[in-house]
Amino acid sequence: MVCDNISVGDNGHLYFAGQDTIDLAKEYGTPLYLMDEDKIREKCRIYTEAFKAELPEGSRPLYASKACSFKQIYRIMSEMGMGIDVVSPGEIYTAREAGFDLSNAYFHGNNKTDEDVAFAMDCGVGYFVADNMAEIDAIEAEAGRREIVQKVLLRITPGIDPHTYDAVATGKVDSKFGSAIETGQADEITGYTLSMKHIELIGFHCHVGSQVFGEDVFERAARVMLEFVRDVKVKYGFITEQLNLGGGYGVIYVASDPGLDIAAKVKSVGAAIKAACEEMELIPPVILMEPGRSIVADSGMTLYTAGNVKKIPSYKNYVSIDGGMTDNPRYALYGSKYTCCIANRMDEECDMLATIAGRCCESGDMIQRDVPVPSSTCKGDIVAVCTTGAYNYSMASNYNRITRPPVVMLREGSSYVAVQRESFEDLCRNDI
Ligand SMILES: *Cc1c(COP(=O)(O)O)cnc(C)c1O
């Protein structure tokens, strides 16, 4: 199985976080997002302990909210001592409603509106990660109006190609994000920011991509960023307090994915930073990283009920489910791989290939093509899709006026609802 929280019981049922998925499907209905809270906490612990052991004092991991954002997630992050990365006023609002201390939040985005900037300051967001000159002007103006000094990091593109899917590669020079070192724009925005009265420049940020497994991507990014830190120290006398290396560590979606030892990775990045700082005669800055996927992805599983099973002899087979691209658009968007199974037939041989098809009026609405399933698969079976904790609930939509599934948390053998199932009333809430 793709994660150690998945197993098969003596009854032939799929178990997740030690609980029978068939029972959970009965209790809460389908489609259903499950989140293994113990696993989320375990991942946070791996990051926080590795950061303490391997990185300069004060270094800390920030959870990248966009992977999965709802109130309970922020409460868990707060309890686990994680900072957060937020990318919109909606994420800021949700974290604030959950009681998260926003002085520990880093506000991202390549096009924060003036209203976003003001709202984030209203909420006391600790750090802005500024993307461009126009944003520096907006932050300076708003901070000036309030007579405060806002802490800012600058988003820099280090020119690292992480060899991942194009839509999730963000650190290359031609990216829509940040200012490139190569073009001189990173240097320029640093000088500009340092001239601002109501901005305190704290350091620099980069994010090279997502679902990254590459041997030394973060080590290379750290080195390029530290060279930049050295250059701005020489040129402007600016001492970088914080260096934020972004998120991106990959997870196992299918058995052929390589997987990563996060603690070992953090250790290796720590060693690279130490060596580079010694060589460049730099005081090591506080290191931040922003894992999203690697915190929550394998804490998630989605359960569906199978409807029609369509067999087109010598062509193709389909298993239709009661969800699809509205709760998981990643196959439609990126062709993402997933491990899928028939949760009530785990003791049967998978002797047929079937495409797991969603219920939307779109032929591209699929979860996965040609999945091995038992040929006895029929209406009423429970289809489980593994590793759906990241970029599923947070990317869900109401296309076709389909209501979003609830999120049920699994904790120490019991379960509770963290996000309720959407109702038809919810769908029409804003309709006049
Ligand atoms: C998406 C994103 C992350 C999280 O990436 P993961 O691949 O989920 O770890 C972190 N930081 C920034 C700026 C991002 O855009």
Side-chain angles (χ1 to χ4, degrees):
M1 279 296 175
V2 288
C3 186
D4 61 8
N5 55 1
I6 305 173
S7 60
V8 176
D10 296 337
N11 55 2
H13 292 180
L14 184 72
Y15 277 63
F16 187 51
Q19 302 190 42
D20 189 329
T21 56
I22 306 307
D23 291 344
L24 290 163
K26 260 190 211 125
E27 183 175 352
Y28 295 102
T30 62
L32 173 64
Y33 292 120
L34 298 174
M35 294 289 274
D36 175 357
E37 182 172 340
D38 300 321
K39 180 59 83 182
I40 298 174
R41 289 175 184 270
E42 177 191 322
K43 292 295 177 67
C44 292
R45 218 170 286 123
I46 289 171
Y47 269 104
T48 51
E49 283 171 9
F51 267 60
K52 203 171 273 172
E54 311 295 346
L55 294 172
E57 198 175 331
S59 296
R60 60 188 185 278
L62 316 171
Y63 168 64
S65 296
K66 74 173 196 264
C68 190
S69 172
F70 51 83
K71 278 159 64 175
Q72 184 65 355
I73 283 278
Y74 293 108
R75 296 187 194 108
I76 294 169
M77 291 306 149
S78 175
E79 278 176 35
M80 297 310 292
M82 302 281 290
I84 54 169
D85 131 4
V86 288
V87 298
S88 71
E91 286 183 356
I92 293 170
Y93 177 83
T94 308
R96 191 184 71 175
E97 289 295 293
F100 193 90
D101 174 7
L102 288 167
S103 67
N104 254 326
Y106 289 69
F107 184 22
H108 282 280
N110 66 308
N111 189 21
K112 303 172 188 75
T113 66
D114 294 349
E115 291 75 22
D116 295 348
V117 168
F119 181 70
M121 286 182 190
D122 285 344
C123 295
V125 167
Y127 303 87
F128 281 55
V129 182
D131 188 89
N132 53 62
M133 296 272 206
E135 216 170 275
I136 292 295
D137 288 338
I139 296 168
E140 172 66 19
E142 190 59 36
R145 214 167 288 138
R146 293 162 189 252
E147 296 179 14
I148 61 166
V149 175
Q150 179 60 53
K151 291 179 183 164
V152 165
L153 283 80
L154 295 175
R155 180 156 182 166
I156 304 297
T157 32
I160 302 271
D161 183 350
H163 301 295
T164 177
Y165 187 81
D166 241 16
V168 293
T170 50
K172 295 196 278 183
V173 174
D174 61 357
S175 165
K176 79 167 178 174
F177 296 103
S179 311
I181 296 175
E182 194 180 307
T183 58
Q185 285 163 309
D187 174 285
E188 192 187 347
I189 195 170
T190 303
Y192 188 65
T193 306
L194 286 170
S195 74
M196 296 293 151
K197 264 210 192 90
H198 299 94
I199 290 178
E200 181 188 2
L201 185 60
I202 296 292
F204 302 99
H205 169 274
C206 68
H207 172 74
V208 293
S210 205
Q211 187 64 354
V212 174
F213 289 111
E215 256 310 290
D216 59 348
V217 170
F218 286 83
E219 290 81 345
R220 280 189 289 140
R223 180 161 183 101
V224 172
M225 292 297 284
L226 285 166
E227 284 168 357
F228 181 71
V229 162
R230 175 199 57 201
D231 292 348
V232 296
K233 182 183 157 203
V234 171
K235 183 163 177 184
Y236 301 105
F238 173 68
I239 306 292
T240 299
E241 219 175 280
Q242 296 186 5
L243 177 59
N244 183 334
L245 298 173
Y249 280 131
V251 302
I252 300 175
Y253 284 101
V254 289
S256 57
D257 285 334
L260 282 181
D261 178 344
I262 295 293
K265 279 285 166 193
V266 172
K267 184 170 181 173
S268 148
V269 170
I273 287 167
K274 189 157 180 269
C277 287
E278 274 167 19
E279 182 195 322
M280 298 180 209
E281 295 180 5
L282 292 170
I283 302 163
V286 161
I287 302 297
L288 309 168
M289 281 193 204
E290 301 167 327
R293 191 190 308 273
S294 57
I295 298 276
V296 289
D298 49 23
S299 305
M301 178 182 278
T302 310
L303 302 180
Y304 305 97
T305 302
N308 188 36
V309 176
K310 176 174 175 173
K311 296 181 180 171
I312 314 172
S314 69
Y315 282 92
K316 218 174 163 62
N317 306 308
Y318 289 96
V319 174
S320 296
I321 52 170
D322 54 356
M325 67 186 289
T326 50
D327 58 79
N328 181 0
R330 292 188 69 251
Y331 184 81
L333 271 175
Y334 314 122
S336 306
K337 293 203 166 79
Y338 280 104
T339 300
C340 311
C341 43
I342 308 301
N344 52 311
R345 297 184 188 276
M346 298 304 290
D347 50 356
E348 294 179 32
E349 195 198 335
C350 292
D351 52 353
M352 171 177 112
L353 290 180
T355 289
I356 310 295
R359 62 177 296 179
C360 287
C361 297
E362 291 278 333
S363 46
D365 176 17
M366 288 168 194
I367 294 295
Q368 202 66 204
R369 250 178 239 275
D370 296 335
V371 176
V373 298
S375 52
S376 55
T377 299
C378 64
K379 182 171 176 171
D381 283 353
I382 299 298
V383 177
V385 180
C386 303
T387 329
T388 56
Y391 306 110
N392 273 235
Y393 173 70
S394 63
M395 283 188 160
S397 78
N398 291 127
Y399 181 52
N400 283 188
R401 288 251 143 173
I402 290 169
T403 53
R404 274 174 283 220
V407 181
V408 165
M409 311 294 284
L410 307 180
R411 174 111 211 254
E412 292 171 349
S414 64
S415 60
Y416 66 93
V417 176
V419 180
Q420 291 179 336
R421 187 180 296 282
E422 262 179 345
S423 65
F424 294 143
E425 292 75 28
D426 292 332
L427 286 178
C428 287
R429 175 143 298 145
N430 298 314
D431 295 10
I432 306 299

